[in-house]
Amino acid sequence: MTEGEANERFEGALNMSKEPIIETDRLILRPLTLDDAEACYSWNSDERVTKYMSYSTYTNISQTVDWIKSTFTDENEYNWAFVLKEENKVIGTGGIGPSAQMKGYWGIGYNLHYDYWHKGYCTEAMRAIINFAHKELGVNKICSDHAVDNPRSGKVMEKCGLKFDHYGEYTKLDGSQTFQAKFYKMELT
Ligand SMILES: CC(C)(COP(=O)(O)OP(=O)(O)OC[C@H]1O[C@@H](n2cnc3c(N)ncnc32)[C@H](O)[C@@H]1OP(=O)(O)O)[C@@H](O)C(=O)NCCC(=O)NCCS
């Protein structure tokens, strides 16, 4: 396949996706492709990033590939790759979809490569994603939760407009750990 054909196929895959391309000041949010596996694996395999995520720390890139593939067929959940314009590099992912914990709400989730924390990128991306869900999908109720020991994530929620609602807990998907958690919500008009 020539480079031109490969680019065409890449653009085609993006155009077919349910997630639109969203531009913010410093980021392009676009649908994930399998070409993002290496970038995503760089933080999926980093315990500093995965410690409080529901997925366990990945030890093989095939786990990242499987996750990206699952986003192609998941009709309810919307996921984006966060591309840093300045470096043309995928630095994180985030998404929104119907919440399993809070009926009628849509939950947000996100993770970023460790080197790009504390620069406001996650808040910038998630504000745009919430705005998309509200304006284009008619989603009015947003929720999320974070481990009590992971307050950095709570700051993102607060900066997106969510307010603390109650304490609870969540368990990693492999059942290995349960965390005390703070649950947040927001209602948009
Ligand atoms: C949670 C996580 C995504 C937050 O990323 P982050 O980049 O630190 O979050 P933000 O986008 O809100 O960055 C905010 C910080 O950047 C700083 N910042 C620097 N430049 C900024 C700018 N231009 N705009 C806004 N904030 C800026 C702010 O001071 C702010 O720090 P503060 O909240 O202490 O004031 C990241 O820590 C992560 O990937 N953690 C592991 C995965 C995880 O825990 N996910 C959530 C599970 S519930």
Side-chain angles (χ1 to χ4, degrees), residues 96-181:
I96 188 164
S99 165
Q101 288 101 343
M102 292 176 74
K103 210 171 177 302
Y105 281 76
W106 277 42
I108 54 170
Y110 36 79
N111 55 182
L112 238 63
H113 188 294
Y114 185 78
D115 292 350
Y116 295 89
W117 287 15
H118 212 68
K119 296 178 196 301
Y121 293 135
C122 190
T123 302
E124 187 171 318
M126 295 315 299
R127 279 181 179 157
I129 288 172
I130 290 170
N131 186 51
F132 159 77
H134 181 49
K135 297 270 160 57
E136 305 300 328
L137 307 177
V139 172
N140 291 325
K141 295 178 173 180
I142 312 283
C143 69
S144 198
D145 59 276
H146 70 87
V148 171
D149 293 334
N150 185 26
R152 185 180 288 275
S153 177
K155 283 201 169 178
V156 174
M157 293 171 201
E158 283 169 1
K159 280 188 267 186
C160 288
L162 283 79
K163 301 260 184 293
F164 171 72
D165 187 60
H166 63 276
Y167 284 94
E169 60 180 39
Y170 70 92
T171 301
K172 271 190 177 278
L173 292 169
D174 65 3
S176 62
Q177 261 181 300
T178 295
F179 300 103
Q180 295 306 307

Side-chain angles (χ1 to χ4, degrees), residues 1-115:
M1 192 188 299
T2 65
E3 197 182 329
E5 282 166 346
N7 284 340
E8 225 168 84
R9 205 166 126 183
F10 183 76
E11 294 296 332
L14 294 189
N15 290 336
M16 273 166 54
S17 170
K18 66 184 182 309
E19 292 91 352
I21 295 173
I22 303 172
E23 185 167 357
T24 68
D25 281 352
R26 297 175 294 172
L27 302 168
I28 303 282
L29 314 183
R30 62 149 175 78
L32 283 148
T33 78
L34 289 177
D35 290 339
D36 299 322
E38 208 173 312
C40 294
Y41 183 63
S42 70
W43 61 84
N44 292 164
S45 58
D46 182 345
E47 278 181 17
R48 296 170 300 184
V49 177
T50 60
K51 189 169 179 188
Y52 299 107
M53 295 302 287
S54 54
Y55 66 89
S56 54
T57 308
Y58 290 172
T59 52
N60 192 303
I61 195 167
S62 65
Q63 293 169 287
T64 299
V65 169
D66 286 347
W67 173 70
I68 293 176
K69 281 183 182 165
S70 78
T71 69
F72 298 157
T73 49
D74 191 328
E75 290 185 0
N76 295 318
E77 187 148 329
Y78 291 69
N79 282 286
W80 283 265
F82 302 165
V83 183
L84 184 61
K85 285 186 201 172
E86 205 179 17
E87 298 180 24
N88 191 25
K89 183 177 171 185
V90 177
I91 60 160
T93 63
I96 188 164
S99 165
Q101 288 101 343
M102 292 176 74
K103 210 171 177 302
Y105 281 76
W106 277 42
I108 54 170
Y110 36 79
N111 55 182
L112 238 63
H113 188 294
Y114 185 78
D115 292 350

